[in-house]
Structures are given as structure tokens and as C-alpha cells.
Amino acid sequence: MTIYDIAKSAGVSASTVSRIINHKEGVRESTRRRVEALLREHHYSPNETARGLVNQATRIIGILLMDIRTLHHTDGVYYIERELEKLGYCCIIMNSGSTDAEKAEYIRRLSRRRVEGAILIGSGFQNDTVRQAISEYLPDTPVVLVNGMLDLPNVYGVLSDERSGMERCVERLVAAGHVHPAFVIDTQTPSNLLKRAGYEQGVLRCCPGYAPVVVHSGSSLAEAADATRALMREHPQVDGILYAVDLLAIGGIRALLEMGRKVPDEVAVIGVDNSIYAEICTPRLTSLDNKLLDTSITAAQTLIQVLQGNRAPKNVMIMSTIAERETG
């Protein structure tokens, strides 16, 4: 039933029904009870889209991530959506794809949905194409980038300090006697490139005279295992391996064990993300904790501050820590 049907049944005006729905004063108590009974009887629910057109507020937040199969990112979406839901926001979650053209298209789609704010998850959104798309399609809409930054007045960044975290991982390996560390990387995202820079800086500082060893891998377990086998054939002196994400590290551990290499006695292993994978693999994986929960909650709270008309820091850096387990 529409608001007009409810009003006709109750013998009142549509504006009176609207006042009751919106909990406003100026309505007789007997009228309020009669209308509320009809609302319950007919399971009436206000049309939020129509209300948004009147109020110029949709209460919709757009969340973009490049690949919804990436567990670390979908966990972040869960925390963000729960935080925004507390304040009555509805989230549209979209899988944008990895190409810059796809990302720009999905930003355009968010604009067509009249979102009040947007959160982009992953450093892959930190590029000029996305920057231009936000400028064109969401110029006045607050946007929060998780693990990235863009120089726009309406864009805010929440980052994890993975670069110095990786440097500390190298320091940890060297302190344990693993003085020939290598780094395995898959995608060339801004986040992974910062991890690589942290690894190289750690080697420069902690391993005098040792040249950094960087190996490229695909993103699957099998590809990480293959990359690890090739690494150990070409650089048999390597006694510690840092992987750009936990999933790669698990593929690497599988390969090392199949080659008869003891982990961590002969080769120590450290991943990144401190994901559920690190807890359930054998041996349990030491991992750089880039503070997914803290980063996600901070992103949601930053957006809420801006939507409420309050000042929010343009960029927030959250310090990473090392989750110590059995592999390094």
C-alpha cells in the first residue's frame, strides 16, 4: 500500500501519515495509534528512493574492490559495511575488475546511483585514471581510499605502513641468522612496490655486501610454488623469503617442504596480511599484520565524519606489526 492508501483507510491526509512515519509532533494520539495500526497491518515500508529524492539524501555508500575473490579485501568490506550500517547507511558493493578503464567505469556507475560517499579498497585504485574519473563523476562526493592516496580535495586516504614493516621483517630474519633474504612479488600494485622498497631498504641496512634478490610470481599457490623452486635453484644461498601476501607464502612453504628444506631452520618464511591463511597452514605462518580491522574501521569513520560535516584528516597512516608464528 502507498501512503495515500493508508491515509484513505485512516480517514486522514497523506501529510498526517507522513508526520507519523517520521515521528513528528502535532498529531493527536488517537490518530497516531490508528495510523500506526494500519501501517503494521499492511507491513508498510517507506520508499527510500522517493524519500531520498525529497531529502536530497540517498543514504547509499558505494564500495569498490577490484576482485571480490580477494579474501583480505572482502574481510575489509565486512568491517566497513557493519560500521556504516550502524548509522543507517546502505552499501552497494561492486567488483570493478583490475583494468584502469573498468575502475573508471564503476566510478561512473556509482555517480549514477547517487551515492553519498564511496570507499575504494586496494592500492590499485591509486592511479591517474581513477583520479580523473573521481574528478569527473564524483567531484563533490567524499571518497576514502583504503591503502592508497590521491591528491584531490574530496579524497581521503587510510594506509598501512607496509614499507617500514617489511624492513622490520628483514631485520627479524637477519637477527635470527637468516642473512640472505629474498622477496617474492606478484602484482605490481603501489602496495606491493612499497613492500619491495621496504625489503630492499632492509637488505641495504642489515645485509652489507648482499644484493637484494627479487623474484616475480603469478598470484596462485601453484605459481608461487614454481617461483620458489626457481628461486632456490638460481640462488641456493637464500635462507629467508619474504612474500608479498600470505597466499604466496603458503605456496612457497609447500615447495620448500617438497624440496626437503626445513622451515624455518634452513629457510625462514614471512608473509603479509596476517590472514586466516597464516593461522591454518602448517607450519603456521609468521606474517606482517597490516591491521585490516583498524584500517577498515578508520576508513568508515573517516567517511562518516565528512558526511556529518566534520573535519577529517586527509591521510592516516596505521603502523603495521609482525604476527609471530612458526615459520620465521
Side-chain angles (χ1 to χ4, degrees), residues 74-148:
T74 52
D75 283 349
V77 170
Y78 172 82
Y79 298 132
I80 290 169
E81 194 275 338
R82 291 289 84 194
E83 196 72 11
L84 290 167
E85 190 274 338
K86 293 176 186 176
L87 296 179
Y89 288 98
C90 175
C91 294
I92 298 176
I93 301 166
M94 293 184 174
N95 185 81
S96 74
S98 60
T99 71
D100 290 348
E102 288 174 318
K103 296 168 194 171
E105 167 59 19
Y106 274 84
I107 290 168
R108 184 183 70 85
R109 293 186 186 187
L110 291 183
S111 173
R112 295 179 64 181
R113 296 296 192 280
R114 298 180 65 247
V115 298
E116 288 191 42
I119 296 180
L120 315 183
I121 298 181
S123 66
F125 287 100
Q126 182 181 297
N127 62 63
D128 289 339
T129 302
V130 171
R131 183 182 185 280
Q132 180 59 38
I134 292 173
S135 296
E136 182 175 352
Y137 300 120
L138 299 173
D140 302 313
T141 301
V143 177
V144 179
L145 218 61
V146 176
N147 216 17

Side-chain angles (χ1 to χ4, degrees), residues 2-302:
T2 68
I3 191 173
Y4 301 101
D5 297 325
I6 296 291
K8 184 177 180 179
S9 297
V12 298
S13 68
S15 61
T16 297
V17 177
S18 177
R19 295 183 68 84
I20 293 169
I21 291 172
N22 291 290
H23 308 292
K24 293 185 178 180
E25 299 178 354
V27 180
R28 288 198 187 110
E29 188 59 31
S30 59
T31 301
R32 185 182 298 277
R33 287 197 298 268
R34 187 167 71 255
V35 170
E36 288 178 343
L38 284 167
L39 293 171
R40 288 192 298 271
E41 178 184 346
H42 296 286
H43 307 288
Y44 176 82
S45 178
N47 186 318
E48 294 296 338
T49 301
R51 295 179 72 179
L53 291 172
V54 174
N55 301 330
Q56 297 298 305
T58 63
R59 307 293 289 178
I60 296 174
I61 303 298
I63 302 178
L64 293 188
L65 64 167
M66 290 178 290
D67 189 340
I68 203 165
R69 296 169 300 178
T70 303
L71 179 63
H72 194 63
H73 290 169
T74 52
D75 283 349
V77 170
Y78 172 82
Y79 298 132
I80 290 169
E81 194 275 338
R82 291 289 84 194
E83 196 72 11
L84 290 167
E85 190 274 338
K86 293 176 186 176
L87 296 179
Y89 288 98
C90 175
C91 294
I92 298 176
I93 301 166
M94 293 184 174
N95 185 81
S96 74
S98 60
T99 71
D100 290 348
E102 288 174 318
K103 296 168 194 171
E105 167 59 19
Y106 274 84
I107 290 168
R108 184 183 70 85
R109 293 186 186 187
L110 291 183
S111 173
R112 295 179 64 181
R113 296 296 192 280
R114 298 180 65 247
V115 298
E116 288 191 42
I119 296 180
L120 315 183
I121 298 181
S123 66
F125 287 100
Q126 182 181 297
N127 62 63
D128 289 339
T129 302
V130 171
R131 183 182 185 280
Q132 180 59 38
I134 292 173
S135 296
E136 182 175 352
Y137 300 120
L138 299 173
D140 302 313
T141 301
V143 177
V144 179
L145 218 61
V146 176
N147 216 17
M149 296 184 297
L150 287 173
D151 185 19
L152 288 171
N154 61 315
V155 176
Y156 303 79
V158 181
L159 304 98
S160 173
D161 185 19
E162 294 174 323
R163 175 170 178 155
S164 71
M166 288 300 284
E167 187 174 347
R168 283 182 276 112
C169 287
V170 173
E171 185 178 283
R172 174 183 176 85
L173 290 178
V174 172
H178 302 279
V179 296
H180 300 110
F183 180 61
V184 177
I185 183 173
D186 54 347
T187 55
Q188 301 292 305
T189 62
S191 173
N192 277 353
L193 293 177
L194 284 174
K195 296 170 192 173
R196 174 174 178 165
Y199 158 74
E200 291 174 343
Q201 181 60 36
V203 168
L204 180 65
R205 183 169 61 84
C206 301
C207 309
Y210 175 69
V213 175
V214 177
V215 172
H216 295 272
S217 168
S219 298
S220 70
L221 283 168
E223 289 169 319
D226 289 342
T228 301
R229 293 186 191 97
L231 165 65
M232 299 309 296
R233 284 195 303 268
E234 297 169 17
H235 303 275
Q237 79 279 14
V238 164
D239 55 8
I241 310 176
L242 303 174
Y243 291 85
V245 294
D246 287 344
L247 192 61
L248 297 181
I250 294 170
I253 291 172
R254 177 185 298 176
L256 289 168
L257 295 177
E258 288 174 354
M259 289 187 290
R261 307 299 291 269
K262 296 179 180 178
V263 179
D265 294 342
E266 294 181 46
V267 184
V269 174
I270 299 179
V272 178
D273 283 345
N274 194 30
S275 66
I276 187 63
Y277 299 130
E279 288 282 0
I280 65 176
C281 73
T282 304
R284 295 168 65 240
L285 177 66
T286 295
S287 181
L288 183 68
D289 184 357
N290 46 21
K291 303 296 181 182
L292 173 66
L293 174 60
D294 295 345
T295 302
S296 302
I297 296 299
T298 301
Q301 291 177 343
T302 297

